[in-house]
Amino acid sequence: MFENGQRLVMIGDSITDCGRDRPVGSFAGLGGGYVSLVNALLAVRNPDVKLDILNTGISGNRVTDLRDRWQADVLDLKPEWLSIMIGINDVWRHFDRAIGDQVEVDEYEEILDSLIVQTEPAIKGLILMTPYFIETNINDPMRKMMDEYSAVVKKLADKYDAVFVDVQAAFDAYLRHRPTQSLCGDRVHPNLTGHMIIARAFVRAIS
Amino acid sequence: MFENGQRLVMIGDSITDCGRDRPVGSFAGLGGGYVSLVNALLAVRNPDVKLDILNTGISGNRVTDLRDRWQADVLDLKPEWLSIMIGINDVWRHFDRAIGDQVEVDEYEEILDSLIVQTEPAIKGLILMTPYFIETNINDPMRKMMDEYSAVVKKLADKYDAVFVDVQAAFDAYLRHRPTQSLCGDRVHPNLTGHMIIARAFVRAIS
Amino acid sequence: MFENGQRLVMIGDSITDCGRDRPVGSFAGLGGGYVSLVNALLAVRNPDVKLDILNTGISGNRVTDLRDRWQADVLDLKPEWLSIMIGINDVWRHFDRAIGDQVEVDEYEEILDSLIVQTEPAIKGLILMTPYFIETNINDPMRKMMDEYSAVVKKLADKYDAVFVDVQAAFDAYLRHRPTQSLCGDRVHPNLTGHMIIARAFVRAIS
Amino acid sequence: MFENGQRLVMIGDSITDCGRDRPVGSFAGLGGGYVSLVNALLAVRNPDVKLDILNTGISGNRVTDLRDRWQADVLDLKPEWLSIMIGINDVWRHFDRAIGDQVEVDEYEEILDSLIVQTEPAIKGLILMTPYFIETNINDPMRKMMDEYSAVVKKLADKYDAVFVDVQAAFDAYLRHRPTQSLCGDRVHPNLTGHMIIARAFVRAIS
Amino acid sequence: MFENGQRLVMIGDSITDCGRDRPVGSFAGLGGGYVSLVNALLAVRNPDVKLDILNTGISGNRVTDLRDRWQADVLDLKPEWLSIMIGINDVWRHFDRAIGDQVEVDEYEEILDSLIVQTEPAIKGLILMTPYFIETNINDPMRKMMDEYSAVVKKLADKYDAVFVDVQAAFDAYLRHRPTQSLCGDRVHPNLTGHMIIARAFVRAIS
Amino acid sequence: MFENGQRLVMIGDSITDCGRDRPVGSFAGLGGGYVSLVNALLAVRNPDVKLDILNTGISGNRVTDLRDRWQADVLDLKPEWLSIMIGINDVWRHFDRAIGDQVEVDEYEEILDSLIVQTEPAIKGLILMTPYFIETNINDPMRKMMDEYSAVVKKLADKYDAVFVDVQAAFDAYLRHRPTQSLCGDRVHPNLTGHMIIARAFVRAIS
Amino acid sequence: MFENGQRLVMIGDSITDCGRDRPVGSFAGLGGGYVSLVNALLAVRNPDVKLDILNTGISGNRVTDLRDRWQADVLDLKPEWLSIMIGINDVWRHFDRAIGDQVEVDEYEEILDSLIVQTEPAIKGLILMTPYFIETNINDPMRKMMDEYSAVVKKLADKYDAVFVDVQAAFDAYLRHRPTQSLCGDRVHPNLTGHMIIARAFVRAIS
Amino acid sequence: MFENGQRLVMIGDSITDCGRDRPVGSFAGLGGGYVSLVNALLAVRNPDVKLDILNTGISGNRVTDLRDRWQADVLDLKPEWLSIMIGINDVWRHFDRAIGDQVEVDEYEEILDSLIVQTEPAIKGLILMTPYFIETNINDPMRKMMDEYSAVVKKLADKYDAVFVDVQAAFDAYLRHRPTQSLCGDRVHPNLTGHMIIARAFVRAIS
């Protein structure tokens, strides 16, 4: 699917960021998360296909933040491919800070849709990754809300014929055998094994 | 209940520790958690009753660790009062590290009971605090197991006529109105509000 | 008194600041002093009333400094409630630096009055807290001068029907039983127990 | 091949070490190299098989150093499985420090053989990994010498029926498409992609 | 009084210590307090009389601590001259920590007397400095108690014909013109001007 | 000479600077050199005369640097008294950096004279301090040149009836009894004793 | 060749930079590489010829970067002599980052030539140093490419009658007796011995 | 003179030490002074003669300190060659610390002689380097005393037929053209140029 010399921009929140270089993460500056693992896995599997992967994730971002920096951090970089993983903070703010402005699911869909619309014509392919919550109880309030946001991602992937990476499903498969605490304490920021789950789901989806 | 000039030793795990001084926390070295708040609340309410509060909590401790240091960190300090809050790590190790030695609930009860037996004759009063998990779903595997350990604490409080502090119940009351994420990310190490919940439950129980 | 969803701005000097976040302290960034304790005490007592508490204290401030940043740090934040504790540095500069510009008590009253006048119409309620000096000898020169500034606060609270928090009185009550050195060395910057005295006086006054 | 609950000890030099915890690396303390990647890859592929992986690599080690700490860092840990990757420093010392004691290839084989002999009866399985030099010119003096040491590893793997991981071959495959500089500057300490090459070779060999 | 080549040991608490070198402060390692100022003032006034001044003050010390280290930090150093300034912490502990072991004035006198008795035969001269509290209100509880300890120092200076340095009187003279806050916040640890007051009182007394 | 409430600005190079606060050193921010000692000595001798001493020394400065910042660091501060100690670097640059722009003695005199001319009318009194080199051999090339610059200072002090502080002479008196190495290694930046020599020379000259 | 009082500017990449002062390295701020060694060797051999050596190397620079800062870092400094060592990064970028803009050998020659053309009229002499790769296999892809860039430097030295320093040849002579690993790990950034090789080649060429 | 594979131990004070590795400096850990320069100069001149140079200098050492560690830091290392440079601190202590134990020139000679006697039989060759003082006035008290100690070194070199390195003479030659300040401020610890003077004198003496 990817071809030699193409550029892939990966945008998102802290899960994508993971200490990447500023202003744009590349090569050794891709950060300590799934982006670096994706880069390494692809390089090892297909050393003949050299990709120019750029990381523009920023910790704490919600979809509204992506909108504010879309021109500089996506369009100006002129990628052939783009992956987006956003939504965890849109949901989390409903729970840790009961008060203040919130991004409701309708606004989330609307903004994400508009970002895709203005980007799609200029790129070769789009990869949409669901947000997730590392919690097996699907009635947990935050998990429940997260699933609604993930459903939006699925809907938009269908609408725009994007590659769909069901990160939540990948975590669920793992959690059938091991407890959430084996991946992280706060159910959001995983350890290396958790990032490998995301990276493997990504690589499988694009294969 | 407390009288002027008495000593209260408070032992436990990271929730008690919170960066206290070594080898024993006292005065300005009581750490950043509920122990300092208990000390401050009691001083403000009853400035005429001066207590010598000592903190001997150690992060990561399980009941087996308390046993190993009981002589030095409880008995040698010759307190009039003793509070114990232990069990969170006994439970957690079952989940974040699936492999290795575990403290099962029977062993937990047996050790805790034996510690009380050897201490009770020498002190004026005992305060037993439940462990807790900041999770409202009582079917969550870790919450469920935590409740079993808390039940042991309740049982021993009855058996030895100790002051019983139901920390889990105090958190539950708060969580009826606000989500768990407003207290902490990992459902174990709370922010100042969470420590105030513990401290207030303590102060109420001893009043 | 406070209602769910309201905003409370707390402004002052180093006693209010205590390492809060910049430009505005909120949530986990409220600093290590009475503001965080007020936030925690209110949350534990009334978990159903969620407040948006903001801390805009700055170390070293005198009433003239508040005037210079009133627009940005009070009015622009559009609070329903406002608390002010200022005056300690206005007095202290008379003693540690014998030379240079000083804020006399007349100017102190005049500025504080004018700040209240321009703010009152826009808020639901005002809370005025006295400055204090942790010294029991009321003939001590600095205590004597502090009492004059506190009298101004009392006078303005009456004039504008504000909630009045007599912080000096709260300290005096405690000091009837324990020496000043048990709260701090310099009679101004207290330890946690001292901040709890302030926070408790605050919570009692607004109840 | 691995079964649930088994322990795997991985010993070696700086490539294995990579900042692991002391005295023994485990869980979050496995370090930043191939050991952590092996742990993550296995966990993601087979979440139902929980392994207790321990890292006892030490930077700068040669086979003589392994011998000196074999009892403490291998035998005392009672593993079911053991992997060894050693030899890079045995070779490198011939080049960066022309003077001083050297481990010649005969001594290398003799010591490695004796370590295996005393360990084999107590474990379920042995994994032998070759050292490597990230250099495509097989006439380069250091590459040439490294290949001799790797040949010893191959020979011992055959002799003791161990799993053989040809790390050098895995690097060679990658280097047919990309230059050595894309993995590292010094041809020894690779970036994440290089560690992924090692980890993937390991996982493939044990499958 | 001092003669060329003699050694003067100066022992005490934090006021003496001030960051001196360990195990014994000398030359550039005399610390940032009155000891360095005494050394400099004497050198400038009498450059022909070279003294070997040693600082063995330790922060937080009470007279009981001096007793425990008298052999190593005074006698073993074989000084011709010895100065002692102790007592501030003996008094302070009565106020900041209401609870715990205290050094009462009788014990203070008894220990100080016994230290002098065992030292006097071996030295050429003794210099006794009073403790002090930078507070003008002589009815302040801590000032009042400090004066009792100072009176003991005066009594012992008379008894053993020692040089008497009335540090408290030197501070009182200064405080007739400037407020205590111009020297320090906590009335104990002065700034450079306060240390100059001590040093000048010392130099005048030995002249 | 000085009267209560007057301001004294002290300008110079690294000997004056000594880590003072920026932009202007005052109170606790006067730095670790002779300026702080002058401040302390004057305060202790005449506590009834409160001076507002400001330090505007900057390390490495030559007279040309003073000229560039004269408006901001002298005139704008509106002092009643001004002290100047400059010239050490004007001389030193001739020796450590043989190449580049140099301030010859004529230019030194011309600039210093012009600075005095524009300042004198606005101040109550001027204090001129010589530069110095801590070397007893008056034929040493750098000492010889320094004496020429000092002669200029003496000449200008006579011309403008300024208080003259012969710092070089004060060092010479001390060096008749002790070697230069007892004050410093580089013969320019002295230890506390050396700064006390300067401060004492200053205090004597203004008495 | 050099005469007393002349200025020599040395520009280049990280080999020249080595932590020099900003904006221009001089005297003690020449950095830790060959520039400081050249300065020291020349000073020791000819103490009567004082040179004003300036270092304007910047790590990571390619010839395109030199072009962008030529006015500020060469022409504005008005040197009598100029040395240039550039090209290592022009080559390296072809290998460690397969993707992105590259400086091909033609562009390298063109830019270097134009820089010389605009500088030559204003200086007394030009010194051109080859880039290098510390690798003895002349068929290694990076060595091979480096030799092409070095050939350009030789060609331009002939064309403009510049002093030619064959750094690669100096390394080759050393490498006939010792392995590359004795100078550095990455074959580019040498240790002190490697910098001495460069400095000695420089000093010999200008003699 | 030196032959391939021989070991040279270089012992001394801070001039030799310069931040070398502990317990013994070798390869990259030779420190930042003349030892590293000697190592580099020899390697560049004679790459076919590989020496094992070890640095055992320790800052502040006098000849008495060498005696105390001679077994461990010279004899146990079994060198073929040994260089000694000691005496600067033996002299300096007479000047910066007028008081305390001193190493007089007789004791200096006696100890140095005895160290040579016990070492000479076991080594191939001895290199004796004079101490120095970077001061051209031979009547300066410290220079004068240093010359006496240097004369002892010369005397012992003759007596034991050692290679004699007249470091003082090398500095003197340089100082005929440039001032002492161009090498260092304190006339003892030189910059790189000063260390190059020492290294060059060493290399010339052994050629």
Side-chain angles (χ1 to χ4, degrees), chain C residues 165-183:
Chain C
V165 185
D166 195 340
V167 180
Q168 182 70 64
F171 276 113
D172 288 348
Y174 174 94
L175 294 172
R176 271 191 282 280
H177 299 285
R178 303 197 186 184
T180 63
Q181 286 82 357
S182 71
L183 290 179

Side-chain angles (χ1 to χ4, degrees), chain F residues 8-22:
Chain F
L8 164 63
V9 165
M10 305 183 81
I11 199 166
D13 52 31
S14 64
I15 309 304
T16 306
D17 184 335
C18 277
R20 67 163 175 94
D21 281 355
R22 259 62 180 172

Side-chain angles (χ1 to χ4, degrees), chain C residues 92 94-98 133-137 140-142 179-182 184-187, chain E residues 92 94-98 133-137 140-142 179-182 184-187:
Chain C
W92 206 349
H94 286 81
F95 292 88
D96 67 344
R97 302 192 171 185
F133 192 49
I134 304 177
E135 166 63 58
T136 56
N137 175 16
D140 175 275
M142 189 159 150
T180 63
Q181 286 82 357
S182 71
C184 63
D186 68 0
R187 292 178 286 176
Chain E
W92 205 352
H94 287 81
F95 292 89
D96 68 342
R97 301 190 172 188
F133 192 49
I134 303 177
E135 165 64 58
T136 56
N137 175 17
D140 174 276
M142 190 160 150
T180 62
Q181 286 82 358
S182 71
C184 63
D186 68 0
R187 291 177 288 176

Side-chain angles (χ1 to χ4, degrees), chain G residues 69-90:
Chain G
R69 59 193 185 86
W70 200 254
Q71 184 66 39
D73 287 354
V74 174
L75 300 179
D76 289 355
L77 299 173
K78 301 188 186 308
E80 275 85 18
W81 294 85
L82 170 70
S83 78
I84 310 172
M85 180 163 80
I86 199 70
I88 292 180
N89 293 304
D90 304 73

Side-chain angles (χ1 to χ4, degrees), chain A residues 39-67:
Chain A
N39 180 56
L41 284 170
L42 292 178
V44 177
R45 285 164 173 247
N46 303 106
D48 53 318
V49 179
K50 290 158 202 154
L51 290 180
D52 184 20
I53 296 184
L54 303 182
N55 181 347
T56 57
I58 292 186
S59 289
N61 265 209
R62 295 185 291 180
V63 76
T64 45
D65 300 299
L66 293 199
R67 181 187 53 195

Side-chain angles (χ1 to χ4, degrees), chain D residues 129-146:
Chain D
M129 308 169 72
T130 69
Y132 62 84
F133 191 49
I134 303 177
E135 165 63 58
T136 56
N137 175 17
I138 58 174
N139 292 318
D140 174 275
M142 188 159 149
R143 169 69 198 257
K144 200 184 269 178
M145 190 184 289
M146 197 70 76

